[in-house]
Amino acid sequence: MLPLKILSAAQIRILDQQTISLEPISSYDLMERASRTFVQQYQKEYTDLDQQTLIVCGPGNNGGDGLAIARMLYEASYEVSVLVVNLGKSSEDQQTNLKRLHKKRGVPIQTLSEGDKLPDLTNIEIIIDGLFGSGLNRPISSYWEQLITHLNENPARRIAIDIPSGLFADSSSRGIIFKADRTYTFQLPKLSFFAPENAPYIGRWTVLDIQLHQQALATQTTAYSYFPIQAAAGFLKTRGRFDHKGTFGHSLIIAGSYGKIGAAILSVRAALRAGCGLVTTHLPVCGYEIMQIAFPEAMVLTDPHREVFTTPPDLGAYAAIGIGPGLGTNSLTQAALLSLLKKAQQPLVLDADALNILGEHSDWQTLIPKNSILTPHPKEFSRLFGQTTNSFSRWKRLQEKAQQLQCYILLKGGNTAIATPEGQLFFLTVGNPGMGTAGAGDVLTGIICGLLAQGYTSKEAALLGTCLHGLAGDLAAVDQQMESIIAEDIIQYLGKAFAKLRTYHG
């Protein structure tokens, strides 16, 4: 499975028109195909035919979809009623579907005009939203705002066709938005689906393939892509019978300070579990015995200082270097990081306190070796690159900084965003809230560093590392529940994560 393009609303309209022209297919038949695909997925998830379902339909093609879906669900013996919103002129395909639905005598159809009494939703168990589609470019206001508020306040399960009404597809939204528990979107995900502030409106989303023309899709260019975990399977390397530890690279992880040696242990252990052949860790003296006892597979170099990092070792032996977990921001450590940045020729994986130091010394950022990987969480990102007002402005800055620094920047979160030096932005949804636990980021640093050392490119290491990390967390959650996950569990499930990825590669 390849990454999915994320197109703007305008591009999606062009893609629809090109499909109509190139296939060729009528716009009405394309609407039928989309609606049929929606209904097929709906039937898999909602098997109770007796649930009272209300489909709210607007005047455009989103409403046309809703009317077609109502007809198809009725034909499949679902209990369906329809609320048609009167906003003046309707699209031709919407009118055609309304006429077809009127012939289905068993489907109650109510028309709602501005100023009418809001509909009685008593006994309604499911509300399907087909009011306003992805073409909406201004906030919903006045009476229709009241209608959506009324729908949101009802205890019924709420489902959106393509996109929740009121949500902008590719920019920050304002005003009232339909709060969907479930969104079935057509062909490609919308950019707005990846913004944390939009999560209460989208619920769980699924992409439905409505077979838009692949040639037309190929001509659409975008900087944004959705990267499903299956897409990482093709990155996995195959090991030969006569390969050995030297084949799989040697990484250096500079981590830990007094009271935070555990961060170093997690990173080093994760690097080896990710397949790295050799791992050396550079620690303050206080961590030497702890590491040797806790994780004897690691080799240990000690800093001259007992409690903090002050002096980079010779870097020539290492294919990749990770720095930051548990490091602290002591002034001596800051000077040592600067020295490392000046010396390093190989890509770095920069995390945690290494990023916090770079946030205090923004002029040092230009010294980061090209193709390095930065792994900030949102607060670290703000310290590095300044505050932003919403996800869309943050993504724009993420792209700009990755291009300026010629590095990969991995913005961690419920949806991870990875920016490349070329200006691409990949979104990943793997992982779960149980991974919001101490040390999980240290594990990610180790995984990525271990992959880099094995010869994966920085792009592959960032994408594959994120997928392995999140997939291991998801597998751990199945066995142990989210509340009980600790960072060590993510490491323990890495083997199963590799195995799961290989099933996608065939």
Side-chain angles (χ1 to χ4, degrees):
M1 184 175 184
L2 297 174
L4 295 177
K5 292 180 178 180
I6 301 172
L7 302 181
S8 68
Q11 287 178 302
I12 292 170
R13 287 194 293 273
I14 293 170
L15 182 57
D16 284 345
Q17 290 304 314
Q18 289 178 329
T19 298
I20 290 167
S21 174
L22 292 171
E23 190 166 334
I25 187 174
S26 71
S27 61
Y28 180 80
D29 286 337
L30 182 58
M31 181 178 287
E32 284 287 291
R33 189 159 76 196
S35 300
R36 177 67 63 191
T37 305
F38 180 103
V39 168
Q40 288 170 347
Q41 183 64 31
Y42 183 93
Q43 288 177 296
K44 292 177 184 177
E45 298 186 33
Y46 301 92
T47 56
D48 186 351
L49 303 181
D50 296 326
Q51 285 190 306
Q52 297 296 314
T53 302
L54 174 68
I55 305 181
V56 185
C57 302
N61 284 347
N62 194 238
D65 291 330
L67 293 166
I69 288 165
R71 168 171 39 86
M72 294 173 188
L73 287 178
Y74 172 74
E75 291 169 348
S77 300
Y78 284 85
E79 291 291 332
V80 177
S81 60
V82 172
L83 181 67
V84 179
V85 168
N86 178 18
L87 283 171
K89 187 177 181 180
S90 301
S91 74
E92 184 177 340
D93 290 338
Q94 192 264 16
Q95 292 177 40
T96 301
N97 265 318
L98 182 57
K99 289 175 183 176
R100 287 193 67 181
L101 187 62
H102 272 297
K103 294 178 182 179
K104 303 294 180 181
R105 304 282 183 186
V107 180
I109 302 172
Q110 177 185 352
T111 300
L112 190 72
S113 299
E114 186 168 359
D116 288 350
K117 183 180 177 181
L118 292 172
D120 182 5
L121 302 178
T122 304
N123 299 325
I124 296 298
E125 297 169 277
I126 296 177
I127 298 172
I128 299 178
D129 165 34
L131 265 173
F132 306 107
S134 60
L136 190 72
N137 57 14
R138 63 180 184 275
I140 297 169
S141 59
S142 65
Y143 176 78
W144 307 112
E145 182 178 12
Q146 297 174 39
L147 173 61
I148 292 182
T149 300
H150 183 55
L151 298 174
N152 286 342
E153 290 174 347
N154 190 272
R157 179 173 292 276
R158 293 181 292 274
I159 301 167
I161 303 171
D162 196 35
I163 189 170
S165 290
L167 186 70
F168 299 163
D170 43 45
S171 61
S172 182
S173 300
R174 306 179 305 279
I176 193 70
I177 301 170
F178 182 82
K179 291 184 177 179
D181 301 298
R182 196 79 173 82
T183 298
Y184 298 119
T185 196
F186 295 138
Q187 197 65 47
L188 301 168
K190 312 296 188 281
L191 182 59
S192 58
F193 288 5
F194 300 96
E197 59 265 34
N198 291 335
Y201 309 109
I202 301 160
R204 186 163 61 92
W205 55 269
T206 297
V207 175
L208 302 179
D209 183 359
I210 61 170
Q211 300 172 41
L212 294 182
H213 202 278
Q214 289 302 303
Q215 181 183 334
L217 178 57
T219 64
Q220 295 293 332
T221 59
T222 176
Y224 305 112
S225 298
Y226 167 55
F227 193 89
I229 56 174
Q230 295 90 332
F235 293 157
L236 291 172
K237 295 179 181 293
T238 301
R239 298 197 164 196
R241 178 171 177 80
F242 298 102
D243 288 338
H244 51 83
K245 64 185 179 183
T247 309
F248 307 125
H250 191 173
S251 62
L252 170 69
I253 293 180
I254 302 171
S257 58
Y258 184 80
K260 297 179 181 177
I261 300 302
I265 294 170
L266 289 168
S267 290
V268 171
R269 185 171 283 155
L272 278 173
R273 286 288 188 189
C276 189
L278 296 162
V279 179
T280 294
T281 180
H282 182 94
L283 299 168
V285 174
C286 67
Y288 175 76
E289 291 182 353
I290 299 171
M291 181 65 73
Q292 294 284 48
I293 294 169
F295 195 57
E297 291 89 345
M299 294 180 285
V300 183
L301 298 175
T302 53
D303 194 272
H305 200 284
R306 177 165 181 77
E307 297 185 354
V308 297
F309 168 54
T310 66
T311 308
D314 180 74
L315 306 178
Y318 309 108
I321 300 169
I323 181 167
L327 203 65
T329 57
N330 183 282
S331 60
L332 295 173
T333 300
Q334 295 189 31
L337 175 61
L338 177 59
S339 177
L340 176 72
L341 293 174
K342 290 178 178 179
K343 290 172 60 176
Q345 301 297 314
Q346 56 273 79
L348 306 178
V349 182
L350 296 147
D351 184 34
D353 284 326
L355 299 177
N356 291 329
I357 292 169
L358 287 170
E360 293 182 28
H361 301 279
S362 58
D363 54 318
W364 296 0
Q365 294 175 17
T366 57
L367 299 174
I368 299 171
K370 288 184 179 180
N371 294 317
S372 291
I373 302 170
L374 287 67
T375 63
H377 58 57
K379 286 186 178 179
E380 289 166 343
F381 183 84
S382 295
R383 293 181 199 125
L384 277 167
F385 305 125
Q387 295 289 333
T388 50
T389 56
N390 55 56
S391 291
F392 295 87
S393 59
R394 188 175 303 117
W395 294 331
K396 183 177 180 181
R397 188 164 299 171
L398 179 63
Q399 289 174 283
E400 291 171 349
K401 292 299 180 180
Q403 289 175 291
Q404 289 173 10
L405 300 175
Q406 286 295 288
C407 291
Y408 293 82
I409 305 177
L410 190 160
L411 178 59
K412 296 181 286 196
N415 294 322
T416 295
I418 300 177
T420 75
E422 298 77 28
Q424 293 176 297
L425 196 59
F426 293 96
F427 292 95
L428 299 90
T429 56
V430 64
N432 63 81
M435 298 173 70
T437 184
D442 306 329
V443 172
L444 178 62
T445 297
I447 292 171
I448 294 174
C449 195
L451 293 172
L452 271 180
Q454 292 173 70
Y456 289 93
T457 66
S458 295
K459 180 179 178 179
E460 291 169 343
L463 290 167
L464 177 58
T466 301
C467 288
L468 286 168
H469 182 259
L471 186 52
D474 286 342
L475 293 169
V478 171
D479 289 346
Q480 306 194 165
Q481 300 302 304
M482 293 183 194
E483 293 84 352
S484 294
I485 294 175
I486 60 173
E488 183 65 35
D489 296 327
I490 301 171
I491 299 171
Q492 293 302 318
Y493 278 83
L494 275 175
K496 290 185 177 180
F498 273 106
K500 183 71 173 178
L501 269 189
R502 286 199 163 89
T503 66
Y504 297 131
H505 194 48

